[in-house]
Amino acid sequence: MVVPEIIPAIMAATDEEYGRKLKAVENIVVRAQIVIADGDFVKATTVGASTIENFGSEISLDVHLMVKDPIAHIGEFSRVGIDRIIFHAEASREIEAVIEEIKSLGHRVGVALSLETPVSLIEKVIEGVDLVQLMAVEVGLSGGKFNPAVLPKALSLRERYPDLAIAVAGGISTDNAKLVVDAGANELVIGDHLFGSSDIKSYVEELQTILRNEEMKLTS
């Protein structure tokens, strides 16, 4: 039995915020996802590759590129110890080229889909990616409310691609984690609910208990 993975989403506007959030989860999880926003694809702006490099980390780090031209940013993040590079399918007319660029630099590839974007947009390339990340909130909206419209998308993906890594990101909490796992997600990307909790370690442990119990039900 493989319990779905909890992945903190670190979205930080300053080095101080980035360092604080990274330190808060480094001894709790094995992977974190760094959200990179350029102020163009989404309104928010965040720290960049130099901040990730300066802080370093003993855990695996992914980047979620919420940027208008992903292929122009891949190189800078490739140089700072990133594992997976996740980009938005809506941000490029040359999805295949972005995937190949990421692979050529030795990284695993994730493709993110905004809430309103159909899975059909990536049908031609889905066999060549390592992860599909489904957004459950409006892209770039920190603190957005979880939208259950993501659930049938996840369920459809899982039915068609039983071995695919499927992440759901945005608005996930102890209240809806079970629904997300039932729909087929095996990665839960959590930001505000996690960092807004009074005890991050206890919150992660509570989520892990929920997910472990749910996986036992699904596999029994």
Side-chain angles (χ1 to χ4, degrees):
M1 179 185 71
V2 179
V3 178
E5 187 175 4
I6 296 167
I7 303 176
I10 299 177
M11 188 171 188
T14 66
D15 286 6
E16 185 279 331
E17 182 184 8
Y18 177 85
R20 173 171 50 80
K21 288 182 174 180
L22 181 63
K23 184 177 180 180
V25 299
E26 276 187 311
N27 295 323
I28 301 172
V29 298
V30 298
R31 177 183 303 277
Q33 185 176 118
I34 315 303
V35 180
I36 303 297
D38 62 357
D40 196 350
F41 183 70
V42 295
K43 292 181 180 179
T45 57
T46 65
V47 298
S50 61
T51 298
I52 298 173
E53 182 176 28
N54 290 340
F55 278 90
S57 183
E58 294 299 318
I59 65 174
S60 295
L61 298 177
D62 301 336
V63 290
H64 175 190
L65 298 178
M66 291 187 182
V67 299
K68 189 173 183 179
D69 184 12
I71 205 164
H73 294 268
I74 293 168
E76 61 184 302
F77 288 100
S78 177
R79 293 189 289 269
V80 298
I82 295 301
D83 180 11
R84 296 185 299 191
I85 297 179
I86 303 161
F87 72 98
H88 270 267
E90 307 89 357
S92 177
R93 295 181 180 179
E94 301 179 340
I95 297 175
E96 295 93 338
V98 180
I99 292 172
E100 290 307 312
E101 178 68 9
I102 295 172
K103 287 183 173 181
S104 73
L105 293 172
H107 301 281
R108 293 191 290 161
V109 184
V111 180
L113 295 176
S114 297
L115 187 61
E116 68 278 5
T117 303
V119 174
S120 59
L121 181 64
I122 59 170
E123 281 184 342
K124 293 182 179 180
V125 300
I126 200 167
E127 298 283 0
V129 303
D130 301 287
L131 167 76
V132 173
Q133 180 159 306
L134 303 176
M135 302 305 296
V137 296
E138 182 181 341
V139 174
L141 183 61
S142 180
K145 184 178 180 181
F146 177 84
N147 191 325
V150 73
L151 299 175
K153 288 174 68 175
L155 186 60
S156 175
L157 264 179
R158 178 56 66 214
E159 289 176 344
R160 296 171 62 190
Y161 304 97
D163 298 321
L164 179 67
I166 300 173
V168 173
I172 296 177
S173 69
T174 52
D175 294 329
N176 54 41
K178 176 182 179 298
L179 296 175
V180 176
V181 173
D182 285 349
N186 48 16
E187 297 185 15
L188 279 64
V189 183
I190 309 176
D192 283 352
H193 285 287
L194 182 64
F195 291 107
S197 65
S198 58
D199 186 332
I200 291 176
K201 183 178 180 182
S202 294
Y203 195 83
V204 169
E205 289 173 347
E206 183 180 358
L207 278 166
Q208 288 173 334
T209 298
I210 292 170
L211 301 183
R212 191 177 297 111
N213 290 341
E214 195 57 26
E215 278 297 289
M216 289 178 66
K217 291 177 185 177
L218 293 174
T219 56
S220 62

